[in-house]
Amino acid sequence: MERRKVGILGATGTVGQRFIQLLDQHPWFEITWVAASDRSAGKRYADAAKWKLDTPMPARIADLVLQPNTPAANTGDVPKIIFAALDSDIALELEPLFAGAGCAVISNSSAFRMTPDVPLVVPEVNADHLPLLTKQAAYTSKSGGYIVTNPNCSAIGLVLALKPLEERFGIESLFVSTMQAVSGAGYPGVPSLDILGNVVPFIKNEEEKLQEEVGKLLGSFNGNGIDMLPAKVSAHCNRVAVIDGHTECVSVKFKKPVTREEILAAWSEFQPLVQHHLPTAPAQPVIFTDAPDRPQPRFDVGAGNGMSTTVGRLRECPLLDWKFVLLSHNTLRGAAGAAVLNAEVLAKMDLLPGKHLHTKTGAGLAENELVNA
């Protein structure tokens, strides 16, 4: 099968490096273009990037020359599929330029998550929101470009656990307190003297993002926009001295009485993508552990190749109805992996620019077949 050519914006940063790690041997996508800041443009990737991952820098990527980070300034061919790993203020400027140039911009940034015509997507949760991208001005113009985003790293793990519960029982209100890993702050991130032996009970804008994104993710697409989930959400967000893995303590009030067995069944039966054989999708998105002291980042962060949410400590809540603890990998499921999975779903739905994937594989799906799965 001929792989689709893709590019990475912000390729030298920590999320950009995760994109490279995940896409280097991807069966559907091939990295042919990398871009970074003006000070890095023109350099070999290996000379500009300070590699921070636990696997070697791919030799082929090491020799790629970093390109300017605007489509107009590029001398080489810019692929029509762009994975963006940019700070939000830079994303506000650059992502619309690439969408306007006809690119599918699959973004990890917060810049456009709550923009009414931009899909905010976790495929197992709300793939049916993706047709919203056809409402964007770039898409309806001659360019055919668009922006699709994945959520905040804490919101992703949370809504994976909540989606099967909301579908079956309805959610009236939600309380969540997060313990977020230092890798979520990027590199160099939080200074060691601020975090070692310490908990920092503030992450700028994090509580606001978590509270509003849950409503959009668990809302419904009405054909023109998203009707937000009306549940009340209260979040506390804390930075802790853990490298990878966001832990969240969650209490939920449901719209009707629910038993422990019903909750466990909802999680175990939640496999909305399994029949579509997406390379990055975990077979079991939500994994329950009945160990009394789990999940823990040291032992559980790699579940489902880092793409599953692990849930434990399910018990009755004297204030709301039920409470539990969840853990998800913040730079895999919560960042680069989430965007790669979004791209795989877009390919299956024939919403990526260029050749339709199923013309090569016979595995493509009609749009409504995936979103209603």
Side-chain angles (χ1 to χ4, degrees):
M1 183 186 78
E2 181 182 350
R3 295 191 293 167
R4 296 173 184 263
K5 295 178 180 180
V6 302
I8 301 173
L9 268 177
T12 58
T14 53
V15 176
Q17 292 180 24
R18 281 291 189 194
F19 275 128
I20 289 169
Q21 184 186 55
L22 292 171
L23 292 167
D24 178 51
Q25 300 297 324
H26 197 285
W28 296 2
F29 305 120
E30 179 183 5
I31 302 169
T32 61
W33 183 90
V34 287
S37 63
D38 292 341
R39 67 179 179 272
S40 298
K43 296 180 181 179
R44 288 176 65 247
Y45 185 84
D47 297 330
K50 192 171 184 179
W51 191 255
K52 289 293 177 183
L53 301 186
D54 57 0
T55 56
M57 180 188 295
R60 186 181 68 83
I61 304 301
D63 288 332
L64 288 180
V65 175
L66 285 159
Q67 299 298 313
N69 59 11
T70 58
N74 263 269
T75 55
D77 292 332
V78 179
K80 289 298 184 182
I81 303 168
I82 298 293
F83 292 94
L86 302 170
D87 291 339
S88 60
D89 55 341
I90 300 172
L92 280 170
E93 175 187 356
L94 296 185
E95 290 181 359
L97 297 180
F98 281 87
C103 298
V105 180
I106 303 165
S107 173
N108 183 67
S109 167
S110 64
F112 295 101
R113 286 176 186 158
M114 298 306 294
T115 301
D117 60 3
V118 173
L120 176 68
V121 174
V122 176
E124 296 95 333
V125 172
N126 63 333
D128 60 324
H129 291 193
L130 282 168
L132 182 62
L133 65 84
T134 64
K135 308 296 180 182
Q136 293 178 32
Y139 186 89
T140 56
S141 72
K142 292 182 179 179
S143 87
Y146 58 80
I147 299 170
V148 168
T149 67
N150 55 262
N152 173 272
C153 47
S154 291
I156 292 179
L158 178 61
V159 297
L160 280 170
L162 293 179
K163 175 63 175 180
L165 307 183
E166 161 61 21
E167 283 184 332
R168 298 192 183 196
F169 319 122
I171 294 174
E172 187 173 304
S173 57
L174 171 72
F175 174 87
V176 55
S177 183
T178 72
M179 292 158 277
Q180 298 182 216
V182 292
S183 59
Y187 184 86
V190 184
S192 61
L193 289 179
D194 287 343
I195 195 63
L196 292 177
N198 198 23
V199 173
V200 181
F202 175 73
I203 306 172
K204 187 178 179 181
N205 298 327
E206 199 79 355
E207 293 171 357
E208 293 82 1
K209 291 176 189 175
L210 187 53
Q211 289 170 173
E212 64 183 3
E213 290 177 22
V214 167
K216 187 172 182 179
L217 288 159
L218 295 178
S220 57
F221 178 51
N222 61 25
N224 293 300
I226 304 300
D227 296 324
M228 304 283 278
L229 183 77
K232 296 179 180 179
V233 181
S234 177
H236 290 263
C237 294
N238 308 276
R239 187 76 72 192
V240 298
V242 169
I243 297 174
D244 289 315
H246 288 354
T247 302
E248 306 180 37
C249 297
V250 184
S251 290
V252 186
K253 183 174 180 58
F254 295 108
K255 291 182 177 178
K256 61 181 182 180
V258 181
T259 67
R260 175 185 175 88
E261 290 71 25
E262 288 173 326
I263 292 173
L264 295 179
W267 283 333
S268 67
E269 295 165 12
F270 182 60
Q271 297 177 302
L273 299 180
V274 69
Q275 71 270 35
H276 301 306
H277 308 292
L278 304 176
T280 306
Q284 187 68 53
V286 182
I287 298 171
F288 177 75
T289 173
D290 59 4
D293 59 350
R294 302 277 282 273
Q296 296 181 27
R298 183 178 297 173
F299 304 116
D300 301 305
V301 74
N305 293 320
M307 293 294 288
S308 295
T309 288
T310 302
V311 180
R313 300 208 65 218
L314 177 65
R315 60 229 191 264
E316 291 188 49
C317 176
L319 182 62
L320 301 180
D321 290 330
W322 289 90
K323 56 185 177 180
F324 53 87
V325 178
L326 68 84
L327 171 73
S328 62
H329 198 304
N330 53 291
T331 63
L332 286 172
R333 185 76 227 208
V340 172
L341 184 55
N342 279 348
E344 292 169 3
V345 173
L346 287 163
K348 282 282 190 175
M349 294 172 68
D350 289 337
L351 287 171
L352 287 178
K355 297 176 183 176
H356 295 333
L357 189 67
H358 72 257
T359 62
K360 290 287 183 179
T361 68
L365 297 173
E367 179 178 300
N368 63 352
E369 185 179 347
L370 180 63
V371 301
N372 293 328

